[in-house]
Amino acid sequence: MAALHTTPLPTSLDPLSSSFSKLSTETPAAPINLFPASTTTPIVKADEIKKAIFETDYEPSEKLWADDQKAYVKPEDDPLPEGFPEVTEGLHVWEGRELAKKPELWLHNFTAEEIADIDNAITHFLSLDLPFSSISKETFPLTVLKPVLDQAVIDLHRGIGIRVFRGFPVANYDRKSQIIAFAGISSYIGPTRLRQGPSAAIAHLRDLTSLDPGERPAIVVKGQTAGNQVFHTDSGDIIGLFTLDRAAKGGISQLASQGQVYNTFAKERRDILRTLAGKWTNRYDPVPGPLLHHVDGKIIVQYGRRGFFPFFEDQSVPEGIPPITKEQHVALDALHFTAESHALDIDLQPGDLEYANNLLIFHARTSSEDSAEHTRHLLRMWVRNEEFALNHGEALERKWVGLKAAEKETWPLEAWDKAPRQS
């Protein structure tokens, strides 16, 4: 049985390692501001919380999409966006219902030897007395598990685009060791960490709505509530999630192939593709650009609903940013409901690690309910593997530049850390 680590939690967070590789040799002007500050009054009343989560345009409308489908008449002249294929193919194009029948393609159950390997790596890193920012393949040495992680890297970039690891006894470890385990394993998936916010290397996803606003950061994403998460992509290459605990009810992880969604639209609703490939502006980037890309033969969608619909305590809209059109609103709702219809649902267990390629896969989550015994709590990282990374294309380079690590990393130990200190 893996040893229980009870090292006291640090009182401050760690400086950024200087060994991060660069994402680009040239820096385009004015990278996208991916992490604007919240500018609204805290929401605290129960009825207001419910409305702010479920009763806004951030939430996709089944009626809007159904009415549009009913009214749609396919025109005689119905081209694809210029340069896009009739069909996209590859291992990353899959149907969720079929993939659910083949867990051997995406699920790996840790063996006792692999768990011991992780435990030894945690012990080794703790013995070095180094900051979190020093976690790497060199300071978190894995031998038994390494070949499995090497294959996962290939699958994430050249295969189906997802991988889940199950069976790590997460409850046996304190928060510091949990973070070390997650960051250490993730360093084999992607040695380059990408920032989540001004400086954070990790993010905590759990419901914060019951906390006093003075004791928590502003709530600006669905992951900080018990609400369902709309199908979207995160920024960067690979998203990693580590389940510390699951909700008492709901909170199902949902993954969908971007290629499968594209093929559905190419067959049935090419107008949606033309809209997605058109010019969009959002609250974070006033420079018009497409959401749908075709790069090196792969369909890529980079999209988060939050850029077009303010959520909860992030209601800021910069001057000069127009509201989206009805056609764009329909396209975003169509994307969500079509992805949902092709999704693989995964009931993540405590200790599960889930990785997905943001350039190939949409992800979402069902709404959840916590209890006194079980509270949904996940850690999230964004990483990049320079050797295997897919070409995200020129149009997205400004976004990637905005993800480059800050001068100092922060590693919040809890979701309610409003301003983690750096050392």
Side-chain angles (χ1 to χ4, degrees):
M1 179 66 180
L4 173 64
H5 292 290
T6 57
T7 303
L9 297 178
T11 56
S12 63
L13 303 175
D14 305 313
L16 175 67
S17 167
S18 62
S19 62
F20 284 16
S21 56
K22 295 182 178 180
L23 300 184
S24 174
T25 56
E26 296 182 3
T27 302
I32 298 172
N33 178 20
L34 297 171
F35 316 110
S38 172
T39 58
T40 193
T41 304
I43 299 172
V44 294
K45 295 181 179 179
D47 59 335
E48 293 177 348
I49 289 173
K50 183 178 179 180
K51 288 181 180 179
I53 296 175
F54 296 108
E55 299 177 20
T56 72
D57 285 339
Y58 188 99
E59 194 69 17
S61 169
E62 289 188 77
K63 184 177 186 304
L64 179 65
W65 177 226
D67 287 349
D68 185 83
Q69 288 277 68
K70 185 177 180 180
Y72 177 73
V73 177
K74 184 177 175 64
E76 288 186 17
D77 183 19
D78 191 26
L80 290 162
E82 185 177 354
F84 282 76
E86 292 282 337
V87 176
T88 185
E89 297 177 324
L91 295 175
H92 61 286
V93 181
W94 44 260
E95 170 59 53
R97 289 184 295 272
E98 295 303 314
L99 206 56
K101 301 173 185 177
K102 303 174 182 179
E104 68 277 5
L105 296 179
W106 52 269
L107 177 64
H108 176 84
N109 290 286
F110 285 131
T111 65
E113 292 76 16
E114 290 165 350
I115 293 172
D117 196 27
I118 298 170
D119 188 80
N120 290 336
I122 295 172
T123 300
H124 176 76
F125 183 81
L126 289 169
S127 73
L128 300 176
D129 195 27
L130 292 171
F132 286 136
S133 55
S134 295
I135 297 173
S136 67
K137 289 190 287 186
E138 290 70 36
T139 60
F140 192 85
L142 295 171
T143 55
V144 179
L145 186 58
K146 183 180 181 301
V148 176
L149 298 178
D150 289 344
Q151 182 59 50
V153 169
I154 296 172
D155 293 339
L156 284 164
H157 294 88
R158 308 287 187 262
I160 62 174
I162 65 174
R163 176 62 67 176
V164 176
F165 298 95
R166 176 159 292 168
F168 182 72
V170 66
N172 289 355
Y173 296 83
D174 65 14
R175 181 72 78 244
K176 180 178 180 180
S177 295
Q178 290 169 346
I179 291 173
I180 292 169
F182 183 35
I185 293 171
S186 296
S187 70
Y188 287 79
I189 300 296
T192 301
R193 289 189 287 269
L194 306 178
R195 66 188 179 107
Q196 303 178 71
S199 60
I202 60 168
H204 293 257
L205 304 178
R206 62 185 301 174
D207 184 9
L208 301 180
T209 57
S210 63
L211 297 180
D212 185 286
E215 299 176 353
R216 61 163 172 80
I219 295 173
V220 298
V221 296
K222 275 281 188 86
Q224 295 171 298
T225 75
N228 62 299
Q229 181 58 275
V230 179
F231 276 92
H232 68 291
T233 66
D234 278 16
S235 299
D237 298 79
I238 304 295
I239 176 177
L241 296 172
F242 185 29
T243 308
L244 303 186
D245 196 7
R246 61 185 299 208
K249 181 180 178 181
I252 302 298
S253 175
Q254 299 177 296
L255 303 171
S257 161
Q258 293 185 20
Q260 186 78 340
V261 172
Y262 174 88
N263 286 344
T264 300
F265 288 145
K267 181 180 179 181
E268 302 173 3
R269 291 295 303 266
R270 295 185 174 189
D271 60 314
I272 299 293
L273 295 180
R274 292 193 295 272
T275 299
L276 292 173
K279 299 297 184 182
W280 297 66
T281 56
N282 65 66
R283 296 189 299 140
Y284 308 141
D285 185 14
V287 179
L291 302 186
L292 177 67
H293 308 264
H294 184 221
V295 183
D296 290 349
K298 285 187 169 57
I299 297 298
I300 294 174
V301 179
Q302 276 280 297
Y303 149 71
R305 201 170 178 92
R306 184 177 158 214
F308 306 100
F309 302 102
F311 178 72
F312 215 85
E313 293 167 352
D314 177 15
Q315 296 293 320
S316 61
V317 179
E319 186 176 349
I321 300 299
I324 62 174
T325 66
K326 181 181 178 181
E327 289 75 16
Q328 289 175 321
H329 196 158
V330 168
L332 296 185
D333 287 9
L335 189 154
H336 168 77
F337 290 114
T338 304
E340 186 176 56
S341 71
H342 294 294
L344 168 68
D345 290 358
I346 304 175
D347 188 6
L348 294 176
Q349 306 297 308
D352 281 4
L353 296 98
E354 178 183 85
Y355 294 95
N357 193 319
N358 282 311
L359 299 178
L360 303 174
I361 305 296
F362 295 119
H363 65 274
R365 185 192 64 253
T366 65
S367 59
S368 61
E369 294 180 16
D370 290 339
S371 68
E373 294 77 25
H374 293 288
T375 299
R376 180 183 63 85
H377 188 181
L378 295 91
L379 298 180
R380 184 185 68 192
M381 295 189 75
W382 296 341
V383 298
R384 175 179 172 87
N385 191 306
E386 297 289 349
E387 181 181 355
F388 287 88
L390 300 178
N391 179 11
H392 51 255
E394 247 180 76
L396 290 172
E397 180 61 16
R398 289 174 57 248
K399 189 172 188 178
W400 258 249
V401 170
L403 293 168
K404 286 185 177 181
E407 291 184 4
K408 288 181 178 290
E409 276 183 327
T410 54
W411 297 75
L413 298 173
E414 297 295 345
W416 42 81
D417 288 350
K418 292 196 296 182
R421 290 185 294 130
Q422 299 166 328
S423 60

